[in-house]
Amino acid sequence: MEKPGDVAPATLDLQAIRAQFPILAERVRGKRLAYLDNAATTQKPEAVLQALDHYYRTSNANVHRAVHELAERATTAYEGARDRIAAFIEAPREQIVFTRGTTEGINLVARSFLQPRIQPGDEVLVTGMEHHSDIVPWQLAGARTVAAPVLDDGSLDFDAWLKLLSPRTKLVAVAQISNSLGTINPIADIIREAHARGIPVLVDGAQGIAHLPVDVKALDVDFYAFSSHKLYGPTGFGVLYAKREHLEAMEPWQGGGDMIRTVAFEGSTWNEVPYKFEAGTPDMAGAIGCAAAIDWLDAIGVEAAAAHEHALLEYGTQRMAEVPGLRIIGTAPHKAGILSFVMDGAHPQDIGSILDMEGVAIRTGHHCTMPLMERFGVPATARASLAIYNGEDDIDQLVAALHKVRRLFG
Ligand SMILES: *Cc1c(COP(=O)(O)O)cnc(C)c1O
């Protein structure tokens, strides 16, 4: 089971890291910016901005299609990005499918893998804390979604989850880290138990990828999806890792462009994996920017980032307990840097607006997890979520603003 708190806290040069994020110097509402909305999207370091700029200034051309020099540069950079991304999660490069993000990766699995393999009444076993992107695609593919319950502290009820595995379960799908609660799910145990019953597993790595080391080979996971924009990389780009046997057996989902081998009016044939799932001109800059983000994060180390964020989570948890009438939702023993909360007498929307006036950026709402809000009996929460560039000063600014909310709402 992953326990980021067990990693010896590395000393991380916070000022040097912050200096690499130009946007963190922005003043908002005349105040210092405390950016605590990282579970929605992360900011981008200079290395990523420069990689994007460099690509468009020196190498832009369509990939795989021409013999001219720029097309060669673009293709080399783009396929080099695939190597870099593959190495980051210990995967062979042919098993890295480029997508628009986590959502598209899950939809691809739902349409190409699940849908052709299910009968009426077949189930996908999810958890009660899944993002809508890990619920709705399964329903669109015609499966019943069965959700394992969440305990009061925000942990998965693992025993109940086990009992819900049945011969009707065609796939298990689970978030590595809950975006609403911060709960770190026991994905290694989940994969082991599902595989013991011959059931494949998809891990939604949207929140995991930047905050926990990921080794898809050691995990033996069938599918792992993530988004570049939550990993300090550009928006509109993501990755689906899948086992080779699945990719080979799956039919393409979209047609056109790079996914074909031959086209005839009588019928067409498909390119090899992973290209058979990459129709149309891809997001070259996205791939290159994502690889640059991985280079940047890897140089610091995901373990060091996780240790820093864990220490900050503990500090934030303590400091927020000082605010009268504030209740944190999600206090699982294995937790990443997400602090979801409600306050007596103050609607999350109002909390968010008052914090904004104080320069504190958080998210309020259902966080695309409506069933989870229902489980905790709240329409919405306010959520502060941490990243590598956050420090105690951000938490202090948040807590001071929360005291202001308290004063305003009595
Ligand atoms: C953000 C998120 C998604 C969706 O990611 P997109 O980048 O919007 O496709 C899915 N699952 C979780 C847990 C998330 O946090």
Side-chain angles (χ1 to χ4, degrees):
M1 202 179 272
E2 299 86 345
K3 285 189 269 182
D6 288 352
V7 182
T11 42
L12 189 145
D13 187 348
L14 195 54
Q15 291 319 317
I17 287 172
R18 280 185 183 169
Q20 296 172 54
F21 288 82
I23 205 170
L24 296 180
E26 285 292 306
R27 292 184 73 78
V28 295
R29 314 282 183 202
K31 302 273 166 55
R32 172 190 181 273
L33 169 65
Y35 185 77
L36 294 167
D37 194 15
N38 295 290
T41 200
T42 54
Q43 301 302 346
K44 320 305 173 198
E46 201 62 75
V48 170
L49 303 178
Q50 280 172 14
L52 295 172
D53 185 76
H54 181 79
Y55 168 73
Y56 280 121
R57 283 179 195 277
T58 68
S59 315
N60 180 56
N62 208 329
V63 290
H64 303 145
R65 304 239 171 111
V67 293
H68 62 78
E69 160 81 14
L70 287 187
E72 228 168 76
R73 285 187 206 170
T75 304
T76 303
Y78 177 71
E79 289 303 331
R82 198 185 306 270
D83 291 325
R84 185 64 191 93
I85 293 166
F88 186 57
I89 61 169
E90 309 291 338
R93 71 185 312 283
E94 314 76 48
Q95 288 165 245
I96 296 295
V97 178
F98 288 164
T99 66
R100 285 194 304 119
T102 307
T103 302
E104 189 175 72
I106 296 175
N107 275 277
L108 167 58
V109 175
R111 292 306 172 116
S112 284
F113 181 79
L114 185 72
Q115 194 165 41
R117 286 166 180 74
I118 56 170
Q119 305 293 325
D122 281 349
E123 298 171 356
V124 173
L125 178 56
V126 297
T127 78
M129 67 185 99
E130 294 313 305
H131 190 281
H132 297 162
S133 291
D134 198 25
I135 301 172
V136 181
W138 313 126
Q139 296 174 339
L140 283 173
R144 254 167 49 82
T145 42
V146 175
V150 174
L151 299 171
D152 287 344
D153 71 355
S155 304
L156 175 67
D157 184 340
F158 190 76
D159 295 332
W161 176 85
L162 259 183
K163 291 197 188 95
L164 288 169
L165 288 169
S166 88
R168 283 188 307 275
T169 313
K170 287 297 168 300
L171 185 80
V172 161
V174 60
Q176 188 174 18
I177 295 176
S178 155
N179 65 305
S180 294
L181 303 171
T183 306
I184 299 175
N185 281 313
I187 56 169
D189 298 336
I190 285 173
I191 293 164
R192 195 187 57 247
E193 293 295 341
H195 284 181
R197 294 157 180 81
I199 304 166
V201 179
L202 174 135
V203 171
D204 170 351
Q207 296 296 334
I209 191 71
H211 307 284
L212 290 173
V214 175
D215 180 338
V216 292
K217 194 152 45 78
L219 280 170
D220 194 32
V221 66
D222 295 272
F223 302 100
Y224 185 93
F226 64 90
S227 303
S228 154
H229 73 99
K230 291 177 178 173
L231 172 63
Y232 311 106
T235 52
F237 180 79
V239 171
L240 174 71
Y241 160 83
K243 282 190 174 169
R244 179 149 199 144
E245 73 222 56
H246 298 324
L247 290 177
E248 297 288 358
M250 285 157 62
E251 284 294 303
W253 176 39
Q254 295 176 335
D258 271 351
M259 58 72 67
I260 54 99
R261 172 162 293 137
T262 62
V263 175
F265 292 111
E266 303 73 45
S268 303
T269 61
W270 319 140
N271 203 341
E272 62 203 21
V273 298
Y275 305 107
K276 120 178 141 173
F277 300 105
E278 296 179 358
T281 298
D283 183 358
M284 286 89 76
I288 290 160
C290 180
I294 285 172
D295 272 338
W296 179 83
L297 179 60
D298 232 6
I300 297 164
V302 179
E303 282 96 346
H308 168 74
E309 290 160 11
H310 192 79
L312 204 52
L313 171 69
E314 294 196 330
Y315 178 74
T317 306
Q318 269 172 23
R319 291 292 325 271
M320 282 165 75
E322 295 164 12
V323 182
L326 184 149
R327 179 164 62 96
I328 291 177
I329 297 187
T331 52
H334 301 299
K335 214 188 136 172
I338 288 174
L339 288 154
S340 243
F341 60 96
V342 291
M343 288 174 79
D344 292 341
H347 192 278
Q349 198 70 38
D350 298 326
I351 299 173
S353 302
I354 293 163
L355 264 51
D356 176 48
M357 295 311 291
E358 301 300 316
V360 180
I362 61 156
R363 173 59 67 94
T364 62
H366 54 62
H367 318 294
C368 299
T369 54
M370 287 168 92
L372 186 68
M373 298 295 111
E374 176 120 19
R375 155 70 180 84
F376 283 97
V378 294
T381 73
R383 178 190 70 185
S385 51
L386 309 176
I388 193 166
Y389 38 67
N390 290 126
E392 293 190 357
D393 47 0
D394 294 316
I395 300 287
D396 293 343
Q397 195 173 331
L398 165 70
V399 171
L402 290 172
H403 280 292
K404 188 158 195 177
V405 173
R406 192 68 291 160
R407 285 195 298 277
L408 284 166
F409 285 87

